[in-house]
Amino acid sequence: MAATASDTPRLTRAVDGRLLFGVASGLARHLGVDPVVVRLAFMCLSIGGMGIAVYIALYFFVPNEPTKEDTATLDDPTARKGRDVSQLVAYTGLAAGLGTLFLLFGGVFDPLLWFVVFGALGAAILWQQANPAQRDEWMSSTVHRVGGKGLMRAGAGILLIVVGVIGFLAFQQQLQDARAGLTFAFTLIAGVSLVVAPWIIGLIRDRDLERRERIRNAERAELAAHIHDSVLHTLTLIQRRADDPREVQRLARVQERALRTWLYRRPADADTTVSPALERVAAEVEEEHGVPIEVVCVGDCPMDDSLGAVLRAAREAMVNAAKYAETSSISVFGEVEPEEVLVFVRDRGAGFDLESVPEDRMGVRGSILGRMDRHGGSARIRTAPGEGTEVQLRMPRTPES
Amino acid sequence: MGDESTTFSDGDAVPRVVIVDDHRLFRSGVRGELGDAVEVVGEADDVDSAVHVIGEQRPDLVLLDVHLPGGGGVEVLRRVLAQHPQIRFLALSVSDAAEDVIGVVRGGARGYVTKTISGAELARAIVRVADGDAVFSPRLAGFVLDAFSATDAPPVDPELDRLTQREREVLRHIARGYAYKEVAKELFISVKTVETHVSSVLRKLQLSNRHELSRWATARRLV
């Protein structure tokens, strides 16, 4: 707790672990003593009425703790949860305590005092509801939190005050006299609320409208920023490079893919699974070599070492196709099955004679066939001059750990 | 399925086509690329105008965009097919989202191609769909394989709900970028058989929708 802090903390009202308004625990934190001691001291002082006055004064003049987030990390979250219960307990305790005090020390047993206490309690609850932090919580919430709890508290406060006031008057034998005044007051209040209610409702509506507008504007701004950074930028580049069709095509495809991903895909969790990794590899090759690659991937599974090897082999196959096949497009199909992962890289380009590839050419033998072999998979290459090429990669899946 | 006497692939007649897309630039681009391969008899840019134009022209085929103002391609399919079940639809979309694509195919479109397709390929696809065949792009084949493998676990009606081994094999080849002719050669079957398999996959896709619906309703005791 705060007693272990090296510096003397500023005097603030505590938000966490408070019983009533956090004056006592705030003071305890400031003085470096146990809150119970402070509370007892307040109790003792209250006998003469002094303590209550001090407490109320401190409540008004000492600011709340700066932010809730700061303290939430210090204290365990359960402390916050229990707050409302402890507050209720505190209220009841305070009421009982005051009552006992009046009974024992006031000497006079007057029901009047009880109604004063009720009224005071109700006022306290309402006051607390109206304190700035609480109000902020009400107003700024995107989710409406005014519901249940807040209404109940306000209702309880009002009820207590009404009971207190009416009881007070009744026991003073003044209820009869006050009747006319009360009727007048109620009528006035009803009239005023009739006049004011639409205005207040209008204000609340305006506020909601404004908030919605603000959210929409934020979204629009984000979209505009994205379009500006990506699409407009690319279009400008395309205008400048209009005489270089290859470059224009490349730019258009890169932008198309980026926008597509942004619009339609889940935020890709990068390379932790096979499907996005395969798409990324294809995108890289496409950008480097300027040949469109269409990727279709069925199923997905987490990456591991041997699947990394499959991706590198697939990349090599794509690069070969892009470089030598003289084709207008490459198809890549990945499929994750329960027992194995398959990747096919196909082009309809020139094709070649597999037998005539020299032994020392690393591209096909080392990077594709050899690599798949080493990691326990297999690769097949189907090709013939003029028939295009298809590289088939097959890797058994290791049982998931 | 199309009668044998009026196939467009013979080249005697060209299919009458309505293009439905909300981008004028794209419509005129497609019109230009298709050239003489088809006869474009109408254009529409939203659901209402599409339903109107199609009802008036009774084309052989509608090139249908997935995203349209007024309810999207699915809405056009729903309203037109109720009255003119003989009209065929080919979905043409820039969208990459499986839901969009599978949605129109389930709605009754006989095929799906992406907007990056070349003019010649698009013309071929139109002729094939107008003739009664189904057309799958590799991407759609991928979506379908995905959709069926996801619902594979407890098959309600194995006869209807699952793809046969052969259909799966055909789809897989299409997803690998093979043309129908190449698939046929690879699997030692005729092109006609490949087309039959593809058509039955489309049928199952629409059925699986209904089955999913009834399964959903049963699970919630709605029926």
Side-chain angles (χ1 to χ4, degrees):
Chain A
M1 279 289 282
T4 59
S6 51
D7 299 322
T8 308
R10 280 176 54 100
L11 178 57
T12 51
R13 286 195 282 119
V15 169
D16 295 299
R18 66 182 182 185
L19 282 186
L20 196 50
F21 299 121
V23 172
S25 44
L27 199 61
R29 192 180 301 180
H30 180 63
L31 298 173
V33 293
D34 198 85
V36 175
V37 177
V38 182
R39 286 192 184 117
L40 281 176
F42 269 118
M43 283 295 199
C44 293
L45 281 172
S46 297
I47 294 164
M50 194 50 195
I52 298 175
V54 171
Y55 195 94
I56 291 173
L58 282 175
Y59 167 65
F60 280 112
F61 294 118
V62 174
N64 246 342
E65 240 174 336
T67 53
K68 289 178 183 173
E69 284 78 13
D70 292 350
T71 53
T73 49
L74 288 175
D75 297 287
D76 63 329
T78 48
R80 281 179 60 82
K81 278 197 163 177
R83 202 180 79 196
D84 280 319
V85 180
S86 68
Q87 268 188 50
L88 268 183
V89 171
Y91 286 137
T92 328
L94 192 74
L98 282 174
T100 333
L101 285 178
F102 284 125
L103 278 177
L104 293 180
F105 298 97
V108 279
F109 171 72
D110 194 344
L112 211 69
L113 291 173
W114 286 97
F115 291 112
V116 173
V117 168
F118 277 147
L121 267 181
I125 292 175
L126 287 181
W127 263 100
Q128 204 217 353
Q129 287 282 71
N131 96 33
Q134 207 92 21
R135 209 164 37 229
D136 281 353
E137 216 167 277
W138 278 26
M139 307 296 261
S140 69
S141 53
T142 35
V143 202
H144 277 280
R145 292 171 63 182
V146 193
K149 226 165 59 184
L151 279 179
M152 215 176 68
R153 273 198 222 161
I158 291 170
L159 190 76
L160 280 171
I161 292 182
V162 169
V163 168
V165 168
I166 293 181
F168 184 81
L169 291 172
F171 275 87
Q172 294 281 61
Q173 310 297 331
Q174 281 170 356
L175 196 56
Q176 291 296 324
D177 307 340
R179 211 191 203 153
L182 275 180
T183 316
F184 173 73
F186 274 127
T187 318
L188 193 70
I189 290 173
V192 168
S193 32
L194 262 179
V195 172
V196 170
W199 181 68
I200 291 181
I201 291 172
L203 270 186
I204 293 174
R205 283 225 184 99
D206 277 359
R207 202 198 65 214
D208 283 356
L209 208 70
E210 196 190 48
R211 192 165 57 207
R212 235 171 288 150
E213 188 66 20
R214 212 166 40 228
I215 292 171
R216 239 200 317 270
N217 276 341
E219 272 169 11
R220 202 176 298 147
E222 201 206 332
L223 185 66
H226 183 85
I227 300 279
H228 172 264
D229 291 348
S230 55
V231 182
L232 285 186
H233 197 77
T234 307
L235 287 178
T236 316
L237 277 177
I238 285 177
Q239 284 176 30
R240 278 211 207 136
R241 301 283 191 87
D243 50 339
D244 183 354
R246 237 184 114 81
E247 181 67 7
V248 167
Q249 259 183 10
R250 192 189 70 86
L251 284 168
R253 283 200 60 89
V254 169
Q255 187 50 57
E256 185 202 337
R257 193 175 41 245
L259 201 57
R260 229 174 240 292
T261 312
W262 194 70
L263 286 174
Y264 300 118
R265 302 277 165 78
R266 66 239 173 251
D269 34 4
D271 286 0
T272 53
T273 60
V274 172
S275 174
L278 189 62
E279 279 171 23
R280 186 184 54 79
V281 166
E284 278 173 16
V285 177
E286 182 179 303
E287 264 164 57
E288 268 171 43
H289 300 274
V291 180
I293 301 180
E294 184 174 19
V295 182
V296 176
C297 208
V298 173
D300 210 349
C301 73
M303 286 291 292
D304 61 25
D305 274 358
S306 53
L307 293 180
V310 175
L311 280 189
R312 284 192 295 278
R315 186 196 166 94
E316 185 64 26
M318 289 180 227
V319 170
N320 282 344
K323 271 190 186 163
Y324 305 118
E326 288 152 16
T327 177
S328 61
S329 78
I330 301 168
S331 302
V332 174
F333 175 57
E335 185 168 7
V336 177
E337 290 194 79
E339 317 83 36
E340 60 182 357
V341 173
L342 303 167
V343 177
F344 302 88
V345 179
R346 174 179 170 79
D347 67 68
R348 285 169 209 275
F352 60 97
D353 185 0
L354 195 57
E355 299 305 315
S356 70
V357 175
E359 284 294 329
D360 57 345
R361 285 290 292 274
M362 284 307 289
V364 170
R365 281 184 217 289
S367 297
I368 300 178
L369 300 172
R371 177 176 279 141
M372 292 302 287
D373 257 357
R374 278 198 299 280
H375 288 84
S378 65
R380 253 187 81 206
I381 298 175
R382 291 164 36 96
T383 181
E387 296 260 304
T389 307
E390 185 180 57
V391 177
Q392 311 177 351
L393 307 172
R394 216 169 266 270
M395 181 63 75
R397 278 177 72 179
T398 44
E400 277 174 39
S401 48
Chain B
M1 305 284 122
D3 341 315
E4 295 305 313
S5 54
T6 59
T7 54
F8 298 104
S9 45
D10 302 340
D12 298 338
V14 291
R16 300 170 70 250
V17 173
V18 166
I19 302 174
V20 181
D21 194 296
D22 52 336
H23 295 103
R24 199 175 50 80
L25 202 61
F26 184 77
R27 288 201 304 271
S28 55
V30 168
R31 206 190 249 270
E33 277 192 0
L34 287 176
D36 297 334
V38 304
E39 183 193 349
V40 179
V41 295
E43 292 182 8
D45 60 2
D46 65 4
V47 171
D48 289 332
S49 63
V51 173
H52 178 76
V53 169
I54 295 168
E56 217 165 54
Q57 294 291 338
R58 308 284 180 85
D60 298 306
L61 180 137
V62 178
L63 261 187
L64 184 66
D65 190 15
V66 176
H67 289 286
L68 275 183
V74 180
E75 182 64 16
V76 177
L77 283 163
R78 202 180 58 76
R79 279 162 61 179
V80 171
L81 285 179
Q83 290 179 340
H84 313 288
Q86 80 285 358
I87 295 177
R88 282 161 188 146
F89 286 84
L90 176 60
L92 177 63
S93 171
V94 77
S95 165
D96 249 2
E99 313 85 85
D100 289 345
V101 176
I102 300 268
V104 285
V105 172
R106 279 178 170 168
R110 303 297 305 271
Y112 156 84
V113 290
T114 48
K115 283 186 176 174
T116 48
I117 193 173
S118 73
E121 272 180 86
L122 179 60
R124 258 202 306 279
I126 288 176
V127 166
R128 227 159 58 200
V129 172
D131 274 343
D133 294 328
V135 171
F136 269 45
S137 71
R139 189 162 286 275
L140 177 55
F143 288 154
V144 172
L145 285 170
D146 243 350
F148 275 98
S149 65
T151 55
D152 247 2
V156 170
D157 185 348
E159 300 284 306
L160 284 174
D161 237 46
R162 298 180 82 163
L163 300 180
T164 63
Q165 200 49 45
R166 203 53 160 176
E167 286 161 354
R168 197 173 278 273
E169 202 55 46
V170 168
L171 278 191
R172 208 170 268 156
H173 276 83
I174 294 170
R176 277 157 69 178
Y178 281 67
Y180 286 15
K181 208 168 61 196
E182 295 168 315
V183 178
K185 201 173 133 207
E186 187 78 2
L187 299 177
F188 303 108
I189 51 181
S190 73
V191 176
K192 200 78 209 148
T193 314
V194 173
E195 282 166 354
T196 311
H197 282 310
V198 163
S199 295
S200 73
V201 170
L202 267 183
R203 203 186 62 244
K204 286 183 183 184
L205 201 57
Q206 284 153 39
L207 278 177
S208 82
N209 189 28
R210 216 173 302 152
H211 276 254
E212 264 170 31
L213 196 68
S214 62
R215 212 180 308 163
W216 182 86
T218 322
R220 284 163 186 74
R221 295 172 200 278
L222 294 178
V223 287

